[in-house]
Amino acid sequence: MRKGKLISLVTGMAFMLAACGAPAEQPAPTTAPAAPTQPPAAPTAAIQVVEATATPVPTLPPTTKFKEAPDLAKLVAEGKLPPVDQRLPEKPVVTPVREAIGKYGGTIQTASWWPGVGNVLLYISEPPIKWKADLTGYEPGLAESYEWSEDGKTFTLKLRKGLKWSDGQPYTTADWKFWWEDMVLDENYKGTVSRPAWLRKSDGSLIDMEFPDDYTVVWKSDQPMWINPFYMAQGFWEFANPMMKPAHYLKQFHPKYASDKTYDDLQKADQWWLNPEFPCLFAWCLTELSQDGQNYKFTRNPYYWRVDEQGNQLPYIDAIAVEIVQDEQVRILNCAQGRYDTAFRICGSPNEIPLLREKAEAGNYRFLENYMNGAGAWPGYMVNQYYVEGGKNYPDDTPEMAAEIRALLRDKRFRQALSHGLDRERMIDVVWGGIGEAKGATISPQSWHFASPEGQEVYKKWASAYANFDPDKANALLDEIGMKKGADGFRTLPSGKPFELVLDISDWGGSLKVQVDAAAEAKAQWEANLGIKVKVNNLQGQPELDTRTNEGQYMLRGAHISEIDIWTYPDWIFPIVNRYMFPLEGRWYASGKDQCKPVEGQPYSCGVKPEDGSPAAKLQALYEKGLRTKTIEDRHKVVWEAIDVIIEEGPFVIGVAGDQPMPIIVKNYMRNILDYGVVGPWAPATPGNQIPATWWMDK
């Protein structure tokens, strides 16, 4: 595979599956357009905010007779379940299939590496607003529609009439009201409820939420909320975990309604991914969890609200069985042996692609060829922009020493020298076996901010900035700074004091080996090419890793950088939280700016206010400009403005490589799976954005 070329290699996991049942009623398989062999073309214009009709939704003839899975039909015949047309909402969501109308039956066998099975929850959960399948914008999901007021300070969400929980109880604004009034506003409850910044007014207090009827939820704030509702689309942790609250079920555990219960009882019950009794709204709900927590089973929801184009209630597949396999090498071996039916995020890194290809025929699986990691940098090296004492990087770890190192790290000439001092092509050969694109650090190339032709030019400019290997230029910049070489051949600080650049690493990105190998090569190159002495600080599993980052005590840290929508995860561009390249400037912003009261004896408890005209100040101002910007197209332009600042003042992350293909594999009999996705950033919930309820097993 040629490095420097954007290639999508996705490996699908092979799954041991249960026998499939009868086909969904069909005269003959009706074939939809096949999955693309290449990723969907980027749109020529940015997406505009619309009320709720971003994608035309097909409808069924009024005479359509709904059909259902054989196991559900049996329960209906036995009087244990209402007829299918009584279980569906008034207007079921008609969902086109990619290849053909499916057959009912089968159990997907897959795996996860930790209790909580987040990689599977990504494609089970369906929020009110979801990502489009091609990641070019948002569209209604669980909600029927949504809209903003002219000034953006009021957001109205419409629920689907007749929607039901998996136990058959109605899903209405009563559930939202319970979540808001009895959980969010109840400060005694510390469980899985959402009280994030995106549900707050300008003064930090929570927005107002009203419920004028059974199907309408109204958000009100004193500032525009053009971006806020899109947070619900970002992975299961933004809607499913904190906001999906069945009032009829949870009230029996809430001390307000059940005097014999405690908030601990409520918190234990309030975990849909661990509690088989918890009613859900998705295609499959958790129904079995082994006593040792090593096996999960999610079973078809008989009240699921989507149907295919012939009126067959989805999902086609009966269940999803998940085993916990913590050892990555064991998971990779299982993938190679064809143990799993679908494998997203569990077959290792791009380095496993050759082995998995070799075993594909014997394992009866195929690769999804157009799934990328979406890394803007993997690895990348964040450069701390407000280095302070306390990290014990030097014996003389004094404020004075820290100030000199801080000045060096904040000098863009130093950062540019580090970037020009790396031979990225060699690093890709060493770390990735030639897989990946040599580039400077960006966010994901597939981000919707770059979908237009103008956006593509912005991306190319950013990716190429300071990314060429030019040791002569790098050394000239270091000479200009005043970093002289000592008798040992290593450069000193401008003051003449010895200097050692400390590089913190961990398994960020999902592979410790990648970070270890890359750091060793970066150390060798910076020492040989630039005369900068480097210490690699492997902090895998150590609690001080994040402390050093968040407290501003690190110099460089290895990272994996990716994101599709920077407005719902601003951190990689806008310093508004306490982490990454601007941890202390971000803490100042997140702590209420000048409203924060410092803790005595902790000089950085409120962070550090950015100096006027500094990169952090410019980027924070652009973030606030974006929050006030009404249209999606104009918000993309604000992102481009911020990227201009990063190019002019940066780099703040030294990128090495990016956009690696990922090993995503599926069994040869799996159907209707879109061959396009980005699995580095979790927020778009890939592959959940493509409606896995339409997948089926052709066997």
Coordinates of all heavy atoms in Angstrom, one line a residue, residues 88-89 92-96 126 130 139-142 160 303-308 312-315 691 693-694:
L88 N -46.2 0.1 16.3 CA -45.5 1.1 15.6 C -46.1 2.5 15.9 O -47.2 2.6 16.3 CB -45.5 0.8 14.1 CG -44.7 -0.4 13.6 CD1 -45.1 -0.7 12.2 CD2 -43.2 -0.1 13.7
P89 N -45.3 3.6 15.8 CA -45.8 4.9 15.9 C -46.8 5.2 14.8 O -46.9 4.5 13.8 CB -44.6 5.8 15.8 CG -43.6 5.0 15.1 CD -43.8 3.6 15.5
P92 N -44.5 5.4 11.1 CA -43.2 4.7 11.2 C -42.2 5.3 10.3 O -42.5 5.8 9.2 CB -43.5 3.3 10.8 CG -45.0 3.1 11.0 CD -45.5 4.5 10.7
V93 N -40.9 5.3 10.7 CA -39.9 5.9 9.8 C -39.5 4.9 8.7 O -39.0 3.8 9.1 CB -38.6 6.2 10.6 CG1 -37.5 6.8 9.7 CG2 -39.0 7.2 11.7
V94 N -39.8 5.2 7.5 CA -39.5 4.3 6.4 C -38.0 4.4 6.1 O -37.5 5.5 5.7 CB -40.3 4.6 5.2 CG1 -40.0 3.6 4.0 CG2 -41.8 4.5 5.5
T95 N -37.2 3.4 6.2 CA -35.8 3.4 6.1 C -35.3 2.6 4.9 O -35.5 1.4 4.9 CB -35.1 2.8 7.4 OG1 -35.7 3.6 8.5 CG2 -33.6 3.0 7.3
P96 N -34.8 3.3 3.9 CA -34.3 2.5 2.7 C -33.2 1.6 3.0 O -32.4 1.9 3.9 CB -33.8 3.6 1.8 CG -34.5 4.9 2.2 CD -34.6 4.7 3.7
E126 N -29.7 5.3 19.3 CA -30.2 6.2 18.2 C -30.8 7.5 18.9 O -31.8 7.4 19.5 CB -31.3 5.6 17.4 CG -30.8 4.4 16.5 CD -31.8 4.0 15.5 OE1 -32.2 4.8 14.6 OE2 -32.2 2.8 15.6
K130 N -29.3 12.7 14.6 CA -28.2 11.8 14.3 C -27.4 12.3 13.1 O -27.8 13.2 12.3 CB -28.8 10.4 13.9 CG -29.6 10.4 12.6 CD -30.1 9.0 12.3 CE -29.0 8.1 11.8 NZ -28.4 8.6 10.5
E139 N -29.5 14.9 10.7 CA -30.8 14.8 10.3 C -31.6 14.2 11.5 O -31.0 13.7 12.5 CB -30.9 13.8 9.1 CG -30.4 12.4 9.4 CD -30.4 11.5 8.2 OE1 -30.6 12.0 7.1 OE2 -30.0 10.3 8.4
P140 N -33.0 14.2 11.4 CA -33.8 13.7 12.5 C -33.5 12.2 12.6 O -33.4 11.5 11.7 CB -35.2 14.0 12.1 CG -35.1 15.1 11.1 CD -33.8 14.9 10.4
G141 N -33.6 11.7 13.9 CA -33.5 10.3 14.2 C -34.7 9.9 15.0 O -35.8 9.7 14.5
L142 N -34.5 9.8 16.3 CA -35.6 9.4 17.2 C -36.7 10.5 17.1 O -37.9 10.3 17.3 CB -35.1 9.3 18.6 CG -36.0 8.8 19.7 CD1 -36.6 7.4 19.4 CD2 -35.3 8.8 21.0
R160 N -42.1 11.8 18.0 CA -43.0 11.0 17.1 C -44.2 10.5 17.8 O -44.0 9.9 18.9 CB -42.2 9.9 16.4 CG -41.0 10.3 15.6 CD -40.3 9.1 15.0 NE -39.1 9.5 14.3 CZ -39.0 10.1 13.2 NH1 -40.1 10.3 12.4 NH2 -37.8 10.5 12.7
Y303 N -41.1 -3.0 19.8 CA -41.7 -1.7 19.5 C -40.9 -0.7 18.8 O -41.1 0.5 18.7 CB -42.2 -1.1 20.9 CG -43.2 -1.8 21.6 CD1 -42.9 -2.9 22.4 CD2 -44.6 -1.6 21.3 CE1 -43.9 -3.6 23.1 CE2 -45.6 -2.3 22.0 CZ -45.2 -3.3 22.9 OH -46.2 -4.1 23.5
Y304 N -39.8 -1.2 18.1 CA -38.9 -0.4 17.3 C -39.7 0.3 16.2 O -40.6 -0.2 15.6 CB -37.8 -1.2 16.8 CG -36.7 -0.4 16.1 CD1 -36.0 0.6 16.8 CD2 -36.4 -0.6 14.7 CE1 -35.0 1.3 16.1 CE2 -35.4 0.1 14.1 CZ -34.7 1.1 14.8 OH -33.7 1.8 14.2
W305 N -39.3 1.6 15.9 CA -40.1 2.5 15.2 C -39.7 2.7 13.7 O -40.2 3.6 13.0 CB -40.0 3.9 15.9 CG -38.7 4.2 16.4 CD1 -38.1 3.7 17.6 CD2 -37.6 5.0 15.8 NE1 -36.9 4.2 17.8 CE2 -36.5 5.0 16.7 CE3 -37.5 5.7 14.6 CZ2 -35.3 5.6 16.4 CZ3 -36.4 6.3 14.4 CH2 -35.3 6.3 15.3
R306 N -38.8 1.9 13.2 CA -38.4 1.9 11.8 C -39.0 0.7 11.0 O -39.0 -0.4 11.6 CB -36.9 2.0 11.6 CG -36.3 3.3 12.1 CD -34.8 3.2 11.8 NE -34.1 4.4 12.2 CZ -33.9 5.5 11.5 NH1 -34.4 5.6 10.3 NH2 -33.3 6.5 12.0
V307 N -39.3 0.9 9.8 CA -39.7 -0.2 8.9 C -39.0 0.0 7.6 O -38.4 1.1 7.3 CB -41.2 -0.2 8.6 CG1 -42.0 -0.4 9.8 CG2 -41.7 1.1 7.9
D308 N -38.9 -1.1 6.8 CA -38.2 -0.9 5.5 C -39.2 -0.5 4.4 O -40.4 -0.2 4.7 CB -37.5 -2.2 5.1 CG -38.4 -3.4 4.8 OD1 -39.6 -3.1 4.6 OD2 -38.0 -4.5 4.9
N312 N -41.8 -3.9 6.4 CA -41.3 -4.9 7.3 C -40.7 -4.1 8.5 O -39.8 -3.3 8.4 CB -40.2 -5.8 6.7 CG -40.7 -6.6 5.5 OD1 -41.6 -7.4 5.7 ND2 -40.2 -6.3 4.3
Q313 N -41.2 -4.4 9.7 CA -40.6 -3.8 10.9 C -39.2 -4.2 11.1 O -38.8 -5.4 11.0 CB -41.4 -4.2 12.1 CG -41.0 -3.4 13.4 CD -41.6 -3.9 14.7 OE1 -42.0 -5.1 14.8 NE2 -41.8 -3.0 15.6
L314 N -38.3 -3.3 11.4 CA -36.9 -3.5 11.6 C -36.7 -3.7 13.2 O -37.6 -3.3 13.9 CB -36.1 -2.4 11.1 CG -36.2 -2.1 9.6 CD1 -35.5 -0.8 9.2 CD2 -35.6 -3.3 8.8
P315 N -35.6 -4.3 13.6 CA -34.5 -4.8 12.8 C -34.7 -6.2 12.2 O -35.6 -6.9 12.7 CB -33.4 -4.8 13.8 CG -34.1 -5.2 15.1 CD -35.4 -4.5 15.0
I691 N -27.7 3.2 10.3 CA -28.9 2.4 10.7 C -28.6 0.9 10.6 O -29.0 0.2 9.7 CB -30.1 2.8 9.8 CG1 -30.3 4.3 9.6 CG2 -31.4 2.1 10.4 CD1 -30.5 5.0 10.9
A693 N -30.0 -1.4 12.0 CA -31.3 -2.2 12.0 C -31.6 -2.8 10.6 O -32.4 -3.7 10.5 CB -32.4 -1.3 12.5
T694 N -31.0 -2.2 9.6 CA -31.2 -2.7 8.2 C -30.3 -3.9 7.9 O -30.4 -4.5 6.8 CB -31.1 -1.6 7.2 OG1 -29.8 -1.1 7.1 CG2 -32.1 -0.5 7.4

